[in-house]
């Protein structure tokens, strides 16, 4: 695969009358960089209808908060660890688009991510929960909404430095990815010492590598005008990513590691959220299939460019989600 596929980049900022009123669907908007990005998107694109996907009843409160100042925000409930719940959310979005309750769909932001303290957590569909949330939920959303996107449109999937697996990018805090057959990766216990935090972190870095693989495959397979981009916010201390970690790790993430934002090795949440919004809105130019490292396109890891692996992962993701791909 080339560094960046050749399909032309499309900017969806609100300067053009044909894209002034449109819908962006976003997961992971309730906290951290997603919340900051959502606020930037709404301020800078007054014509956007932001549809947030959030768990349980939290979406209603989130939509109300983000609507302050006259912004247009609605919500759809979904548990991203459950593929049937993702299907229900996608079906509701499709119905609202078909009824004309939402303006044309021009964006999907798969920002929600989870890191567990082990690699044994199993979701209701039998998949390992890190893989289900960080990989399969996004894939099912993309596939179920694919024919409802109106070009120019942009899909943004939040990736991570951890997929490099080296000291420069991980600072020794997260083990690098350990790629295996998707049939193994998708199930609990795929990694050494799966009952430990190291196993859970390996599941996380591997899931982020998988996300980049799928972005490359989306760039090959999606219709022209629907771009797919992977976004790396850098290391961002102080977010809720480790909310399932132990008390020592949570304390370090909240109180100790934020000091690193004074160095080039980390990014402040406010900056990371702004960078994500720039990518979503097309302010940061990025051809389809690109990897955006904070403020500009860059090469992801050498391991991430593997067309054979990407095709295998696509086929597996299609198989894993097939039972949920038929809408009611």
């Amino acid at each position: 695969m080339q560094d960046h596929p050749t399909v032309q980049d499309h900017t969806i900022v609100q300067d053009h009358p044909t894209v002034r009123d449109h819908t962006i669907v976003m997961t992971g908007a309730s906290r951290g960089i997603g919340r900051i990005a959502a606020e930037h998107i709404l301020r800078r694109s007054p014509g956007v209808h932001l549809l947030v996907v959030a768990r349980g009843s939290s979406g209603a409160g989130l939509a109300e908060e983000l609507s302050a100042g006259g912004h247009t925000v609605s919500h759809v409930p979904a548990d991203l660890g459950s593929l049937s719940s993702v299907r229900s959310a996608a079906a509701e979005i499709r119905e609202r688009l078909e009824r004309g309750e939402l303006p044309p769909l021009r964006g999907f932001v798969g920002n929600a991510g989870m890191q567990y303290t082990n690699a044994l957590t199993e979701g209701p569909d039998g998949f390992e929960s890190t893989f289900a949330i960080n990989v399969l939920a996004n894939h099912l959303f993309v596939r179920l909404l694919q024919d409802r996107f109106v070009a120019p449109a942009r899909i943004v999937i939040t990736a991570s430095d951890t997929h490099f697996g080296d000291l420069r990018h991980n600072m020794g805090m997260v083990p690098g990815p350990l790629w295996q057959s998707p049939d193994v990766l998708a199930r609990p216990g795929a990694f050494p010492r799966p009952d430990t935090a190291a196993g859970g972190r390996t599941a996380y870095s591997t899931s982020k590598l998988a996300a980049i693989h799928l972005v490359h495959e989306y760039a090959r397979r999606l219709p022209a005008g629907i771009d797919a981009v992977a976004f790396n916010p850098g290391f961002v201390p102080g977010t809720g990513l480790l909310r399932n970690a132990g008390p020592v790790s949570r304390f370090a993430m909240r109180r100790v590691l934020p000091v690193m934002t004074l160095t080039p090795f980390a990014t402040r949440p406010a900056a990371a959220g702004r960078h994500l919004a720039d990518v979503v809105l097309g302010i940061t130019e990025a051809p389809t299939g690109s990897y955006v490292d904070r403020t500009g396109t860059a090469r992801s890891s050498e391991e991430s460019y593997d067309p054979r692996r990407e095709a295998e992962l696509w086929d597996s993701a299609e198989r894993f989600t097939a039972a949920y791909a038929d809408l009611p």
Side-chain angles (χ1 to χ4, degrees):
M1 175 172 180
Q2 299 175 354
D3 291 2
H4 306 301
T6 57
V7 176
Q8 185 178 359
D9 175 46
H10 297 89
T11 300
I12 57 173
V13 185
Q14 271 44 62
D15 295 333
H16 194 286
T18 62
V19 298
R20 185 167 300 278
D21 296 315
H22 67 273
T23 298
I24 295 176
V25 175
M26 183 174 187
T27 72
S30 60
R31 58 168 64 88
I33 69 170
R35 175 61 179 264
I36 296 166
E39 293 171 351
H40 275 281
I41 290 167
L42 290 166
R43 283 201 300 269
R44 294 154 71 182
S45 294
V48 76
H49 183 127
L50 185 65
L51 194 157
V52 294
V53 179
R55 189 167 184 168
S57 60
S58 64
L62 174 62
E64 182 178 359
E65 292 172 8
L66 290 172
S67 296
H71 302 300
T72 305
V73 186
S74 61
H75 76 283
V76 169
D79 174 2
L80 298 181
S82 165
L83 295 180
S84 61
S85 181
V86 172
R87 177 178 61 177
S88 296
E92 182 174 338
I93 294 169
R94 289 176 62 93
E95 290 171 2
R96 292 177 62 184
L97 286 165
E98 290 166 4
R99 291 195 300 262
E101 297 174 8
L102 297 172
L105 178 64
R106 297 189 187 272
F108 172 77
V109 187
N111 179 64
M114 184 60 72
Q115 180 176 310
Y116 289 87
T117 57
N118 58 65
L120 294 172
T121 305
E122 183 174 321
D125 308 298
F127 299 110
E128 192 275 321
S129 292
T130 310
F131 193 86
I133 294 171
N134 296 356
V135 182
L136 295 182
N138 287 330
H139 184 71
L140 189 56
F141 264 124
V142 169
R143 296 293 280 145
L144 291 179
L145 297 177
Q146 177 178 325
D147 65 342
R148 290 295 178 265
F149 284 106
V150 176
R154 176 170 281 191
I155 295 164
V156 180
I157 306 296
T158 299
S160 168
D161 264 336
T162 61
H163 88 277
F164 280 91
D166 57 18
L167 184 63
R168 173 189 169 193
H169 292 91
N170 294 351
M171 294 172 284
M173 294 185 295
V174 180
L178 183 58
W179 193 262
Q180 302 174 73
S181 163
D183 286 283
V184 175
L185 296 177
R187 306 297 176 180
F191 305 101
R193 298 188 296 152
D195 59 334
T196 66
R201 290 169 184 163
T202 304
Y204 178 79
S205 62
T206 306
S207 75
K208 291 302 183 178
L209 175 60
I212 296 171
H213 282 327
L214 282 178
V215 164
H216 292 166
E217 203 63 21
Y218 296 149
R220 295 186 182 99
R221 294 176 182 264
L222 294 178
I226 304 175
D227 294 348
V229 177
F231 167 71
N232 169 41
F235 173 59
V236 188
T239 67
L241 178 62
L242 294 181
R243 53 188 174 274
N244 286 332
V248 174
S249 295
R250 293 200 306 271
F251 176 82
M253 193 68 169
R254 289 196 309 266
R255 303 299 183 187
V256 180
L257 296 179
V259 176
M260 294 184 66
T261 58
L262 301 176
T263 76
F265 296 104
T267 309
R268 293 180 182 274
R274 185 176 68 253
H275 299 333
L276 174 55
D278 287 346
V279 176
V280 173
L281 295 176
I283 295 169
T284 297
E285 296 184 3
T288 188
S290 295
Y291 176 79
V292 175
D293 182 11
R294 285 161 273 206
T295 60
T297 57
R299 277 189 68 84
S300 49
S301 69
E302 291 305 315
E303 183 182 8
S304 71
Y305 298 96
D306 188 331
R308 184 169 61 178
R309 184 189 286 181
E310 291 158 4
E312 180 188 20
L313 179 59
W314 169 278
D315 290 342
S316 297
E318 291 285 281
R319 177 161 43 86
F320 296 151
T321 59
Y324 310 93
D326 292 331
L327 291 166

